[in-house]
Amino acid sequence: MEKKINQKNTFVSEEEKTLNWIEVQSSFEKNFGSEIYKSWLSNIVLLKEYNDFLILGVPTRFFRDWIVSRYLDKILELLKGFKLSLNRVEFKITEDLKNKSSDELSVGSVTEIKDSILNYNRLNPNLNFDSFVQGTSNEVALSYSKKICEQTTRYNPLYIYGGVGLGKTHLLNAIGLELQSDNKVMFISAERFMYHFIKSIKKNDMVNFKDFFRKSSIFIIDDIQFIRGKESLQEEFFHTFNSLIEKGSQIIISADRPPMKLDRVQERIKSRLSGGLIVDIDTPDLELKNKIIRKRLVDIQFQFKENIKISEEVINFISVESKTNIRELIGVLNRVIAFSRVHKKELTIADCKNILKDVFNQVKVITIDKIQNTVSNYFNIQLSEMLSQRRSRPLARPRQVAMYLSKKLTTRSLPEIGRRFANRDHTTVIHAVKTINRLSEKDSEMKKNIEQIKGLLIED
Ligand code: ADP
Ligand code: MG
């Protein structure tokens, strides 16, 4: 019996270790976004690696519960991308592992809230008004952000909304920087607000929490859409909001949509959020994108005394191709710059196409629906049959192929994919992925099928 357990859980020897934790962490950041990463996932450490499971360390019980309840599925999914043989992770509380007596309890709860907030409340000095490029899509938001700094509480709250990567956090941060010398500025994301809220409840320390957040004279809260569906958080936010307004503090809020479109948010909050001035940031036009690229090139030249040669043609190419948002645009530009540094030459459009192939291909959205349709067409079976419970091979294989491609080509989690295949369990999806992986390695027919279907999906 013991032998069996041992065999399964064999500790991987040094040479067999395959996980590069730094790479794993950076994939967490990419997939969950930097906010969640910074708040939660960056705190995970790899303690032990086994063939089929990992022991990960997290600082506290609270961290563990939070991470497990919200992010575990996706974490596991990402880890499997690095090591297919993994099937579970275990969390150990690292606080328990070290000697607690010295630092525990000596820190009062007030200081602890303060310390952790201070650690987080840092404004990024680079995200200021000077580095924010004005364009048609953001000029209204920019102009009112500046007005707020000249005369606070004229528009209260100031509510800035727009899609991802369009500059909301940048603007909020710029306002905070501008006002911080004369005011008590609090700059926090709604997710982080939630974190402190829950932590204070657990520690029975709401008095300090309320005190702390209501002290600021400028309260900036990023990504307020995060409160959707979280009743107790909304309750607390509502009271914080009211007491801040009452004492004459300025509130600045960002969101991914206008207040009235915040579903699962109390009416009274929506109406408070709409009570000041609402401005939006739109997707950038070509002119703004070109301006942002040129500015960055000039900045690099100035900062590093380095002359990066990028032709107008290439600038234009990047702007036209990069459609989604400014964050992506900057990412793309950074790759082009890195390439031109290494090769020390002026890039052509063909070079760029090559460098950016994967970036732009990723932008194409492939959905589970599309995969299901394409696969059933390809194998010439009815979609309803493919999704049915029947297990005959002519139906089961295409079904597995479709699950496999859903896993490979979309960002959906295993349970989600299972649900979309007539409510199957996620273990069925895992089995399908493994089976097709194996088959496509040794069966040239299967390999060809997969390639052709992928081609169909990417083409149209
Ligand atoms: P959001 O919060 O709306 O998702 P961010 O403020 O994080 O977007 O912006 C994404 C990236 O794009 C950041 O690096 C930011 O500095 C940059 N950025 C956005 N808008 C501009 C702009 N108008 N000028 C310069 N940089 C911008
Ligand atoms: Mg943001």
Side-chain angles (χ1 to χ4, degrees):
M1 179 70 188
E2 202 182 313
K3 205 163 185 188
K4 205 167 164 196
I5 291 175
N6 266 340
Q7 205 173 22
K8 192 151 192 240
N9 294 345
T10 28
F11 206 8
V12 199
S13 68
E14 273 311 315
E15 312 83 76
E16 279 176 297
K17 277 193 181 156
T18 53
L19 276 182
N20 175 341
W21 197 245
I22 294 174
E23 273 176 20
V24 172
Q25 291 274 28
S26 90
S27 94
F28 285 170
E29 182 162 15
K30 220 166 87 200
N31 283 278
F32 286 95
S34 65
E35 191 57 46
I36 294 177
Y37 176 73
K38 267 189 286 179
S39 307
W40 308 103
L41 309 182
S42 62
N43 295 290
I44 305 177
V45 292
L46 175 61
L47 294 177
K48 270 185 184 171
E49 179 180 344
Y50 294 86
N51 279 326
D52 58 347
F53 82 104
L54 300 177
I55 301 185
L56 304 177
V58 284
T60 62
R61 248 174 212 91
F62 176 59
F63 262 92
R64 181 197 60 196
D65 296 345
W66 184 276
I67 291 172
V68 168
S69 66
R70 307 191 40 166
Y71 308 126
L72 186 60
D73 266 1
K74 197 154 164 200
I75 287 178
L76 197 55
E77 194 187 325
L78 290 171
L79 285 169
K80 281 166 98 55
F82 285 91
K83 187 168 177 174
L84 199 67
S85 56
L86 286 178
N87 56 29
R88 83 196 147 91
V89 292
E90 268 176 26
F91 286 95
K92 278 228 154 55
I93 318 292
T94 46
E95 213 174 52
D96 292 348
L97 302 176
K98 63 178 190 217
N99 183 359
K100 296 194 205 178
S101 58
S102 58
D103 46 21
E104 208 191 33
L105 301 172
S106 61
V107 188
S109 47
V110 186
T111 10
E112 200 186 308
I113 283 202
K114 275 193 187 149
D115 285 349
S116 52
I117 301 251
L118 282 179
N119 274 336
Y120 210 75
N121 194 23
R122 279 200 206 112
L123 291 158
N124 180 339
N126 298 318
L127 302 178
N128 50 44
F129 283 129
D130 286 340
S131 61
F132 192 86
V133 183
Q134 179 175 344
T136 322
S137 52
N138 62 27
E139 62 190 353
V140 177
L142 175 61
S143 122
Y144 282 101
S145 298
K146 285 183 171 166
K147 276 198 185 120
I148 282 287
C149 297
E150 284 159 18
Q151 189 185 4
T152 52
T153 70
R154 184 151 153 218
Y155 309 103
N156 211 3
L158 174 65
Y159 186 102
I160 303 175
Y161 76 88
V164 278
L166 298 182
K168 300 182 300 292
T169 302
H170 190 141
L171 270 186
L172 258 49
N173 194 95
I175 297 173
L177 287 174
E178 197 70 22
L179 290 173
Q180 70 176 349
S181 54
D182 298 331
N183 299 275
K184 207 167 168 34
V185 173
M186 166 68 61
F187 174 58
I188 193 163
S189 68
E191 165 140 30
R192 197 70 190 170
F193 184 75
M194 165 93 165
Y195 165 80
H196 288 292
F197 174 57
I198 296 191
K199 199 162 129 184
S200 306
I201 293 177
K202 293 219 165 182
K203 293 178 108 181
N204 225 337
D205 198 17
M206 279 311 288
V207 179
N208 273 315
F209 174 88
K210 287 180 195 295
D211 243 35
F212 191 80
F213 282 99
R214 292 169 194 193
K215 266 201 312 245
S216 50
S217 58
I218 309 289
F219 185 73
I220 307 176
I221 185 156
D222 202 2
D223 290 323
I224 196 73
Q225 72 276 1
F226 183 80
I227 68 173
R228 287 160 60 230
K230 304 185 176 75
E231 276 300 319
S232 56
L233 182 66
Q234 290 182 23
E235 196 66 32
E236 190 53 41
F237 175 76
F238 182 71
H239 295 301
T240 306
F241 185 100
N242 287 344
S243 59
L244 283 166
I245 293 278
E246 221 163 85
K247 74 185 254 294
S249 304
Q250 170 73 47
I251 301 177
I252 301 126
I253 295 164
S254 84
D256 65 353
R257 65 197 86 187
M260 284 310 164
K261 290 246 167 76
L262 289 168
D263 54 313
R264 292 181 294 140
V265 168
Q266 298 168 6
E267 285 305 319
R268 56 179 190 166
I269 292 184
K270 289 196 249 191
S271 110
R272 287 287 194 289
L273 296 178
S274 317
L277 180 72
I278 302 172
V279 289
D280 73 323
I281 307 186
D282 211 341
T283 44
D285 56 13
L286 206 59
E287 191 189 339
L288 176 58
K289 287 192 275 190
N290 279 349
K291 254 164 107 180
I292 290 173
I293 295 178
R294 287 205 197 91
K295 182 166 180 6
R296 280 188 87 86
L297 292 175
V298 172
D299 286 349
I300 290 173
Q301 211 147 338
F302 180 76
Q303 231 181 343
F304 302 106
K305 310 270 172 285
E306 180 184 12
N307 200 2
I308 306 269
K309 282 214 191 76
I310 294 187
S311 68
E312 283 298 305
E313 202 190 3
V314 166
I315 292 181
N316 225 19
F317 173 79
I318 299 174
S319 294
V320 171
E321 290 296 313
S322 171
K323 294 187 180 68
T324 27
N325 64 52
I326 296 176
R327 184 174 298 137
E328 182 199 86
L329 178 78
I330 293 173
V332 166
L333 177 64
N334 286 343
R335 282 174 84 144
V336 171
I337 292 173
F339 188 90
S340 93
R341 263 193 197 132
V342 171
H343 295 275
K344 297 201 173 23
K345 67 168 201 164
E346 185 161 341
L347 302 185
T348 63
I349 300 273
D351 290 331
C352 284
K353 279 193 180 152
N354 235 342
I355 303 167
L356 304 177
K357 221 170 23 203
D358 45 327
V359 182
F360 291 140
N361 278 344
Q362 277 167 11
V363 173
K364 175 161 261 134
V365 180
I366 298 177
T367 60
I368 295 183
D369 276 341
K370 192 165 163 188
I371 292 172
Q372 290 176 337
N373 280 314
T374 312
V375 172
S376 57
N377 275 339
Y378 181 89
F379 288 108
N380 220 353
I381 54 176
Q382 296 283 333
L383 179 58
S384 57
E385 284 180 317
M386 190 176 87
L387 299 181
S388 72
Q389 301 300 328
R390 289 168 53 199
R391 289 168 181 226
S392 68
R393 177 154 299 176
L395 298 178
R397 273 287 182 267
R399 183 182 302 141
Q400 289 179 321
V401 168
M403 287 183 187
Y404 165 88
L405 290 171
S406 300
K407 180 70 202 68
K408 295 280 167 185
L409 304 178
T410 74
T411 55
R412 302 286 156 218
S413 67
L414 294 165
E416 251 177 306
I417 296 175
R419 274 195 295 280
R420 300 287 298 278
F421 282 79
N423 252 333
R424 285 178 163 80
D425 192 50
H426 74 282
T427 50
T428 311
V429 185
I430 295 177
H431 177 71
V433 174
K434 279 190 179 155
T435 308
I436 302 301
N437 249 333
R438 184 166 41 80
L439 285 178
S440 61
E441 264 170 35
K442 58 176 198 191
D443 175 354
S444 61
E445 183 66 20
M446 180 56 91
K447 191 172 174 174
K448 197 186 80 200
N449 291 342
I450 299 279
E451 285 312 320
Q452 286 180 343
I453 298 170
K454 271 191 189 163
L456 291 170
L457 285 165
I458 290 165
E459 242 169 55
D460 59 36

